[in-house]
């Protein structure tokens, strides 16, 4: 069973389109994240949600709108896609915000490869 | 913003050799994590360190939490071809700062 699953794995779309990436975790974790990995493989946090509440918004353009319908899901919607949005987007989860040891372990999904043409 | 300096950026080694990589920070962390990312996959946690001076092993992997709390290293002994991948360090500061900051990764290539 996949602990953190995200769909789609690959997405090719034209500039200006709107797209969504879905994420689900079956670990019973309270905290979920979206990370972006650029072409140089640098991993940077975008958003963090704890129990459906936004905790971290790392100065991401407002074209990116995360939505957490429940604590097991954190979807990412992107409006008006730009060429620079091409990257791999990773969903992740942890037990909590990291106050305890278990919360410091972050589990990643397999990534969604977004290509904007 | 918070930055971690991870080195080396890449390594090319022969199978059987030992490998060492490290991360340093200008700030104190209370948690250090080491992840491995295989091609086409997400990062997978290898070792977690929670206490200054802590030395932890996971098979052929050994990682240490630096005494100053500003650095950590990862050693891989007797490398094998499946060790190929990108290794990331990540650190988390204490208190209300929940963010996990990642290093830029070390790309490891193992020649059989």
């Amino acid at each position: 069973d996949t602990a953190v699953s995200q769909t789609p794995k690959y997405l090719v779309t034209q500039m200006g389109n709107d797209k969504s990436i879905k994420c689900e975790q079956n670990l019973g974790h309270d905290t979920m994240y979206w990370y972006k990995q650029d072409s140089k493989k640098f991993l940077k946090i975008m958003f963090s949600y704890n129990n459906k509440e936004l905790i971290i918004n790392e100065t991401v353009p407002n074209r990116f709108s995360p939505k957490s319908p429940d604590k097991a899901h954190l979807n990412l919607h992107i409006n008006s896609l730009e060429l620079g949005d091409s990257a791999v987007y990773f969903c992740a989860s942890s037990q909590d915000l990291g106050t305890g040891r278990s919360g410091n372990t972050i589990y990643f999904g397999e990534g969604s490869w977004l290509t904007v043409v | 913003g918070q930055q971690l300096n991870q080195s080396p950026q890449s390594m090319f080694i022969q199978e059987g050799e030992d490998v060492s990589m490290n991360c340093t920070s200008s700030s104190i962390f209370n948690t250090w994590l080491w992840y491995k990312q295989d091609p086409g996959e997400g990062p997978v946690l290898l070792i977690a360190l929670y206490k200054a001076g802590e030395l932890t092993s996971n098979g052929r992997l050994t990682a240490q939490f630096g005494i100053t709390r500003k650095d950590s290293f990862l050693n891989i002994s007797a490398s094998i071809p499946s060790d190929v991948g990108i290794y990331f360090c990540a650190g988390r500061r204490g208190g209300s700062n929940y963010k996990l900051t990642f290093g830029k990764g070390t790309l490891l290539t193992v020649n059989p």
Side-chain angles (χ1 to χ4, degrees):
Chain A
D1 287 342
T2 303
V4 181
S5 59
Q6 51 185 111
T7 56
K9 180 150 187 173
Y10 300 102
L11 183 56
V12 181
T13 188
Q14 290 188 325
M15 271 197 308
N17 284 349
D18 302 338
K19 290 295 177 185
S20 293
I21 307 172
K22 295 184 177 181
C23 179
E24 175 182 5
Q25 53 95 3
N26 62 7
L27 297 167
H29 288 168
D30 288 342
T31 307
M32 295 186 72
Y33 313 81
W34 277 107
Y35 281 82
K36 180 180 179 181
Q37 187 173 46
D38 60 25
S39 58
K40 296 183 178 179
K41 304 300 183 185
F42 184 51
L43 273 165
K44 185 172 169 56
I45 192 168
M46 300 173 66
F47 300 102
S48 168
Y49 270 71
N50 188 62
N51 278 319
K52 304 191 296 178
E53 180 183 347
L54 178 66
I55 302 297
I56 296 172
N57 179 342
E58 198 64 13
T59 321
V60 177
N62 58 15
R63 298 182 296 104
F64 290 78
S65 52
K67 284 189 171 50
S68 182
D70 55 64
K71 73 175 191 177
H73 295 83
L74 181 61
N75 303 322
L76 183 65
H77 188 75
I78 315 172
N79 290 326
S80 303
L81 278 156
E82 300 176 357
L83 292 176
D85 296 333
S86 295
V88 185
Y89 292 85
F90 285 101
C91 179
S93 73
S94 62
Q95 181 64 51
D96 53 42
L97 287 168
T99 52
R101 285 194 173 193
S102 61
N104 283 314
T105 303
I106 293 182
Y107 297 87
F108 285 84
E110 294 188 343
S112 294
W113 269 250
L114 172 64
T115 303
V116 182
V117 297
Chain B
Q2 188 62 52
Q3 289 192 3
L4 291 181
N5 298 310
Q6 183 171 351
S7 64
Q9 284 190 332
S10 61
M11 302 181 74
F12 297 85
I13 62 171
Q14 291 297 124
E15 183 177 358
E17 290 183 0
D18 297 343
V19 170
S20 184
M21 58 193 79
N22 68 83
C23 265
T24 60
S25 170
S26 56
S27 300
I28 289 174
F29 286 104
N30 67 356
T31 299
W32 284 97
L33 305 173
W34 284 93
Y35 285 84
K36 182 192 177 193
Q37 185 177 16
D38 289 328
E41 303 291 334
V44 174
L45 182 69
L46 299 173
I47 292 179
L49 302 161
Y50 302 104
K51 187 177 176 182
E54 182 179 353
L55 184 71
T56 297
S57 293
N58 178 4
R60 294 177 295 105
L61 278 61
T62 301
Q64 184 158 29
F65 192 140
I67 292 291
T68 64
R69 297 170 64 193
K70 292 183 179 181
D71 64 323
S72 177
F73 71 75
L74 174 71
N75 287 341
I76 305 173
S77 62
S79 59
I80 59 179
S82 62
D83 290 335
V84 164
I86 303 177
Y87 292 79
F88 290 98
C89 65
R92 194 197 295 264
R93 298 175 65 183
S96 60
N97 190 327
Y98 306 118
K99 290 191 300 182
L100 193 65
T101 302
F102 280 82
K104 293 191 175 182
T106 295
L107 174 61
L108 178 64
T109 303
V110 180
N111 295 318

